Amino acid sequence: MLKRLQLVMLLLCISNSMAQVGIDTNTPQQALDVGGSTSTVRVDGLSETNNVNNLGNGATTRVYVDDKGDMVLGETSDNIEILIDYENYLEDVEDPTTLVNQTGNAFGYTTAGTPIDGVAASFTLTKNAIVEVNYSVSWSVYKNASPTGRIADEHARIVQTGLYFRYNNYLGAAVINDVDGNPINDGPWCIDVNSSGTNCQEVGGLMAINGQFYNNGSNNNGEYRDFHNTGSDYVKLGPGTYCVMFAAQLAVGDTGGTGAVKMYLGSGNDDLQIIAHYYN
């Protein structure tokens, strides 16, 4: 009993003037102050053995404070949830639904691609979440829209892709603002420009924008398909049903000497992952 009392006296220092308790510190700065650069706190009631809401070994379980001020573990749905995990999200076609026309002034993007699952390709949030998006989208590029027409003008082109959301399904209105009412990614962005690349027909909250350069100098050699752009990003969304869609841009400084150049988005496998990080 004496040894236990001595240990308690050694670890605890109570400030009489401010009623502050310090563990491994003689100068507590808060009502309870745990000192030491590597200190940890264990609550047996929050362990995997004692609490069904603990996600277990190798995982991190969030601790919340309830209306009484008690520390509690949130249920699984309060933490992280994988909402979408596709290995091939868009239809593998090269037709008007996936077409992106080349522009010379890089104004705006063009919506392209249709989900393989159609209107069923959506996810639903029941509460506010930070939504993480990860994608790898395929594309091909031809001269005069011919699968055998390789571009050979050696002009440096840039292929940029981005991701946006529509309400309910791929036929719904584009999402422009996040849950706080702020334009997504400092938008709104032009996600659908006319064929001449001069007028914007629709705006949306474009995010995870990424791109790469392409050029080629031979009619017989050089790749023209099975390219991929990848991107990752985060956005805060509120309760509702959403569908992920893509937009792309094919831009070049000099449009002369080649003729019409066409790009098709989603002609190969397209990976998509949507993860919700719930925060209230």
Side-chain angles (χ1 to χ4, degrees):
M1 181 65 180
L2 180 60
K3 290 183 177 180
R4 184 177 301 174
L5 180 60
Q6 290 174 335
L7 179 60
V8 171
M9 294 298 293
L10 180 64
L11 294 177
L12 297 180
C13 174
I14 302 176
S15 173
N16 293 327
S17 61
M18 301 183 66
Q20 293 172 321
V21 177
I23 301 176
D24 279 350
T25 176
N26 294 322
T27 56
Q29 303 299 309
Q30 297 293 336
L32 175 61
D33 190 340
V34 181
S37 59
T38 60
S39 297
T40 58
V41 176
R42 175 179 292 180
V43 180
D44 289 342
L46 302 181
S47 69
E48 178 185 7
T49 302
N50 297 322
N51 198 308
V52 296
N53 290 321
N54 191 294
L55 298 180
N57 186 35
T60 300
T61 308
R62 294 184 180 183
V63 176
Y64 295 82
V65 177
D66 65 14
D67 57 344
K68 302 180 184 65
D70 297 333
M71 291 188 300
V72 297
L73 292 182
E75 297 179 0
T76 300
S77 60
D78 294 325
N79 291 271
I80 299 175
E81 183 180 8
I82 297 178
L83 302 172
I84 284 181
D85 191 9
Y86 276 88
E87 293 184 0
N88 192 22
Y89 184 69
L90 299 176
E91 292 183 355
D92 301 336
V93 295
E94 295 180 354
D95 62 22
T97 66
T98 63
L99 175 62
V100 178
N101 286 307
Q102 174 180 275
T103 59
N105 55 13
F107 168 74
Y109 289 72
T110 301
T111 57
T114 303
I116 287 178
D117 289 343
V119 295
S122 62
F123 66 92
T124 299
L125 296 175
T126 58
K127 52 190 171 183
N128 292 351
I130 298 174
V131 177
E132 176 185 351
V133 301
N134 302 292
Y135 76 83
S136 173
V137 66
S138 60
W139 53 272
S140 56
V141 60
Y142 307 112
K143 179 176 68 175
N144 299 320
S146 169
T148 59
R150 288 180 170 86
I151 302 170
D153 59 10
E154 295 186 349
H155 294 169
R157 291 170 170 81
I158 184 169
V159 177
Q160 288 190 304
T161 57
L163 173 154
Y164 69 98
F165 299 96
R166 291 191 180 276
Y167 291 108
N168 298 320
N169 56 58
Y170 78 93
L171 300 174
V175 179
I176 297 175
N177 300 325
D178 65 16
V179 68
D180 297 322
N182 300 315
I184 296 173
N185 198 16
D186 293 326
W189 293 72
C190 179
I191 59 173
D192 194 13
V193 69
N194 63 343
S195 59
S196 61
T198 55
N199 295 312
C200 185
Q201 303 175 129
E202 185 180 20
V203 297
L206 196 63
M207 53 187 294
I209 300 172
N210 202 0
Q212 60 178 298
F213 285 102
Y214 172 88
N215 68 10
N216 186 43
S218 172
N219 289 313
N220 300 314
N221 300 297
E223 295 296 330
Y224 56 91
R225 62 180 307 164
D226 295 328
F227 297 101
H228 285 81
N229 281 14
T230 61
S232 298
D233 213 337
Y234 295 86
V235 64
K236 292 194 294 184
L237 295 178
T241 299
Y242 304 90
C243 176
V244 177
M245 296 297 290
F246 289 91
Q249 176 191 97
L250 174 62
V252 64
D254 183 358
T255 59
T258 302
V261 173
K262 308 292 184 181
M263 169 185 164
Y264 294 97
L265 192 70
S267 53
N269 285 350
D270 311 291
D271 297 334
L272 175 65
Q273 187 179 66
I274 305 295
I275 304 172
H277 302 261
Y278 299 109
Y279 61 94
N280 61 18

